[in-house]
């Protein structure tokens, strides 16, 4: 999508001083990202010079149409980071999230096609009807651990254990490996000082999972990856699993919490908890527009300098799509979220999420199990007291404390 134009152009991010790049890692950005996106748009237009962490520049795409063009142009904007990472130290906290990996998310061309067909085949074996029942069987006992207390933190006591256990069941992961995966993955997403060590812990646990399924196959996604006719090697298998976990637990966890928060604080949805007209799916779609769990992601790396929207993007430097900003671009936004699923929360183009149907089902079921069991649930603190976790990629609450009338344990129907 190279352009020519008589209008003045600028280059990002190379010539800009640190003071001219917007930090995506600050608590201030985490607390009110939409205000930052609006300020970005006024100052920079559709392409913004940012720092992912101190000293790691990137270009953030906040224009919807520009993002769609980039995401559908893998020839000019491949997802392969190998040239970029040559200049990045190993202890860089965002390197584990951005670096090349032999999987469908971080490759281009024929290599990407090869990995994606294995991933799609592994996911295709998931029975959505059985998945619905599985989430119910997992969620109800978890609710019973706190329903008699009258209060809970929905992050640590509900959403995390339910999402995590569901993903482990889909992938065929035993509990001991699952704990190692969870700890390592959380450190990677935080992007802090422990990110590199967390990435190593994450990878080691997944290698052990591959070896386990080679010895003891089962009816699970990992086994289908291991047995696929393409015959990926152990490193490739580990990296497909890494993508599934990374795209599964943290984003779904944040989507559950962000959606519950909307439903508890917006009267259009709060009324529906006790019989109103708007559904959980309506709330999900609105959150995917306004507060997507992966706010800034879908990294690409131009093969050569390229002119986009009168900005020269340097070769091999990260171009990051802000799904949160693009979805709310005034150039396309009507404010009509319900029954409108043209958002970028699942990405689009050759790297669009292949697990969208399963993710929708899981998140919706996790929310509805909670609200069916505890229909009078309310926030335990004012919205302004909720804390959002800093980080360049996610839109994530540090906790979601709630209160509700104490309830006896739910009867188990199975």
């Amino acid at each position: 999508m190279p352009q020519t134009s008589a209008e003045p152009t600028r280059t990002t991010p190379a010539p800009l001083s640190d003071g001219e790049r917007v930090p995506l890692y600050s608590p201030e950005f985490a607390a009110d990202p939409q205000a930052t996106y609006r300020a970005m748009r006024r100052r920079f237009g559709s392409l913004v010079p940012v720092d992912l962490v101190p000293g790691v520049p990137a270009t953030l795409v906040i224009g919807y149409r520009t993002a769609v063009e980039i995401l559908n142009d893998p020839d000019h904007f491949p997802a392969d980071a190998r040239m970029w990472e040559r200049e990045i130290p190993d202890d860089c906290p965002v390197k584990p999230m951005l670096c090349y990996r032999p999987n469908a998310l971080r490759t281009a061309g024929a290599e990407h096609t090869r990995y994606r067909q294995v991933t799609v085949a592994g996911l295709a074996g998931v029975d959505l009807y059985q998945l619905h029942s599985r989430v119910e069987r997992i969620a109800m006992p978890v609710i019973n651990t706190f329903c008699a207390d009258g209060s809970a933190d929905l992050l640590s006591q509900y959403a995390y254990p339910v999402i995590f256990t569901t993903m482990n069941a889909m992938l065929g992961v035993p509990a001991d490996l699952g704990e190692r995966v969870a700890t390592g993955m959380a450190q990677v997403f935080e992007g802090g000082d422990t990110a590199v060590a967390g990435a190593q812990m994450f990878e080691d646990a997944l290698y052990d999972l591959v070896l386990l399924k080679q010895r003891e196959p089962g009816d699970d996604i990992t086994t289908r990856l291991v047995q696929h006719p393409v015959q990926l090697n152990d490193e490739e298998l580990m990296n497909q699993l890494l993508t599934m976990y990374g795209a599964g637990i943290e984003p779904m966890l944040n989507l559950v919490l962000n959606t519950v928060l909307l439903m508890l604080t917006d009267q259009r949805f709060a009324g529906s908890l006790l019989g109103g007209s708007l559904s959980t799916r309506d709330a999900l779609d609105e959150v995917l527009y306004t507060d997507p769990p992966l706010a800034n992601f879908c990294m690409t790396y131009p093969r050569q300098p390229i002119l986009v929207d009168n900005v020269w993007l340097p070769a091999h430097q990260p171009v990051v799509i802000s799904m949160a900003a693009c979805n709310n671009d005034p150039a396309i936004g009507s404010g009509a979220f319900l029954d409108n699923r043209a958002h970028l929360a699942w990405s689009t183009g050759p790297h669009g999420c292949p697990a969208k149907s399963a993710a929708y089902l899981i998140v919706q079921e996790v929310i509805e199990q909670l609200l069916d069991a505890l229909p009078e649930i309310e926030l335990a603190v004012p919205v302004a007291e909720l804390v959002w976790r800093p980080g360049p990629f996610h839109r994530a609450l540090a906790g979601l404390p709630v209160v509700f009338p104490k309830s006896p344990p739910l009867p188990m129907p199975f």
Side-chain angles (χ1 to χ4, degrees):
M1 48 186 285
Q3 300 176 357
T4 59
S5 174
E7 298 180 32
T9 62
R10 57 186 173 87
T11 304
T12 184
L16 294 160
S17 68
D18 288 342
E20 293 179 283
R21 291 199 294 266
V22 180
L24 297 188
Y25 50 85
S26 68
E28 293 78 15
F29 174 71
D32 193 357
Q34 287 299 335
T36 305
Y37 297 140
R38 289 192 293 270
M40 289 176 173
R41 206 179 305 277
R42 289 192 297 269
R43 182 179 179 192
F44 296 105
S46 63
L47 298 168
V48 183
V50 298
D51 270 339
L52 300 177
V53 293
V56 179
T59 299
L60 189 70
V61 182
I62 64 172
Y64 181 93
R65 293 188 179 93
T66 303
V68 171
E69 290 180 6
I70 289 172
L71 291 169
N72 284 282
D73 188 7
D75 290 338
H76 290 101
F77 293 92
D80 187 332
R82 277 176 283 193
M83 293 296 291
W84 168 78
E85 64 185 270
R86 290 180 180 180
E87 307 299 323
I88 303 299
D90 289 341
D91 62 354
C92 172
V94 294
K95 189 172 184 177
M97 286 287 283
L98 273 69
C99 67
Y100 166 82
R101 292 183 180 277
N103 62 29
L105 187 62
R106 291 284 169 260
T107 52
E111 189 180 18
H112 166 260
T113 300
R114 177 171 175 263
Y115 294 137
R116 188 172 174 94
Q117 68 174 311
V118 178
T119 297
V120 169
L123 291 166
V126 175
D127 185 316
L128 295 182
Y129 179 79
Q130 291 183 357
L131 182 58
H132 181 283
S133 300
R134 173 176 280 166
V135 175
E136 181 182 14
R137 291 196 302 271
I138 292 169
M140 292 179 71
V142 174
I143 293 170
N144 281 347
T145 65
F146 59 78
C147 63
D149 298 336
S151 65
D153 172 22
L154 294 185
L155 171 59
S156 62
Q157 292 180 256
Y158 181 64
Y160 177 79
V162 175
I163 294 290
F164 180 60
T165 304
T166 300
M167 282 296 298
N168 281 351
M170 293 170 65
L171 292 167
V173 183
D176 57 336
L177 286 180
E179 290 299 328
R180 291 162 54 196
V181 165
T183 302
M185 184 179 56
Q187 293 174 359
V188 170
F189 266 90
E190 292 295 340
D193 295 339
T194 60
V196 174
Q200 189 62 56
M201 181 188 303
F202 193 4
E203 291 179 14
D204 289 345
L206 295 180
Y207 271 121
D208 288 345
L209 176 60
V210 169
L211 294 175
L212 173 65
K213 293 302 172 179
Q214 288 168 342
R215 297 192 311 268
E216 303 174 18
D219 182 12
D220 52 62
I221 292 173
T222 306
T223 297
R224 289 190 286 275
L225 300 183
V226 167
Q227 296 180 345
H228 194 277
V230 166
Q231 295 186 324
L232 301 184
N233 63 36
D234 288 359
E235 180 186 11
E236 292 171 325
L237 289 165
M238 183 278 293
N239 276 281
Q240 311 320 305
L241 293 169
L242 185 147
T243 302
M244 290 186 180
Y245 257 119
I249 291 182
E250 183 81 9
M252 284 200 295
L253 173 63
N254 297 336
L255 183 54
V256 167
L257 295 180
N258 295 358
T259 303
V260 171
L261 176 60
L262 175 67
M263 297 182 76
L264 295 182
T265 56
D266 189 311
Q267 285 304 309
R268 294 171 301 146
F269 299 100
S272 74
L273 303 187
L274 295 172
S277 61
L278 295 180
S279 68
T280 302
R281 184 61 178 261
D282 293 328
L284 274 171
D285 285 326
E286 181 156 335
V287 167
L288 287 167
Y289 256 107
T290 61
D291 232 3
L294 274 182
N296 306 301
F297 206 64
C298 305
M299 283 72 77
T300 64
Y301 306 82
R303 297 184 189 276
Q304 61 276 319
I306 186 169
L307 184 63
V308 179
D309 292 353
N310 297 315
V311 177
W312 277 106
L313 303 180
H316 313 304
Q317 293 299 305
V319 175
V320 181
I321 305 298
S322 177
M323 288 83 83
C326 290
N327 291 346
N328 294 280
D329 183 352
I332 59 96
S334 65
F337 309 112
L338 304 182
D339 297 322
N340 185 348
R341 291 165 190 152
H343 53 73
L344 296 179
W346 306 107
S347 188
T348 189
H351 289 277
C353 178
K356 180 167 66 173
S357 295
Y360 253 131
L361 186 154
I362 293 168
V363 171
Q364 184 168 334
E365 186 66 20
V366 169
I367 294 170
E368 290 184 345
Q369 287 296 320
L370 174 72
L371 300 183
D372 285 349
L374 303 170
E376 297 179 71
I377 193 168
E378 298 178 351
L379 278 183
V381 299
V383 173
E385 293 183 15
L386 296 174
V387 176
W388 296 90
R389 290 157 45 202
F393 307 116
H394 57 217
R395 177 64 170 157
L397 285 163
L400 189 59
V402 294
V403 293
F404 43 84
K406 295 180 180 181
S407 172
L410 301 168
M412 296 296 103
F414 30 75

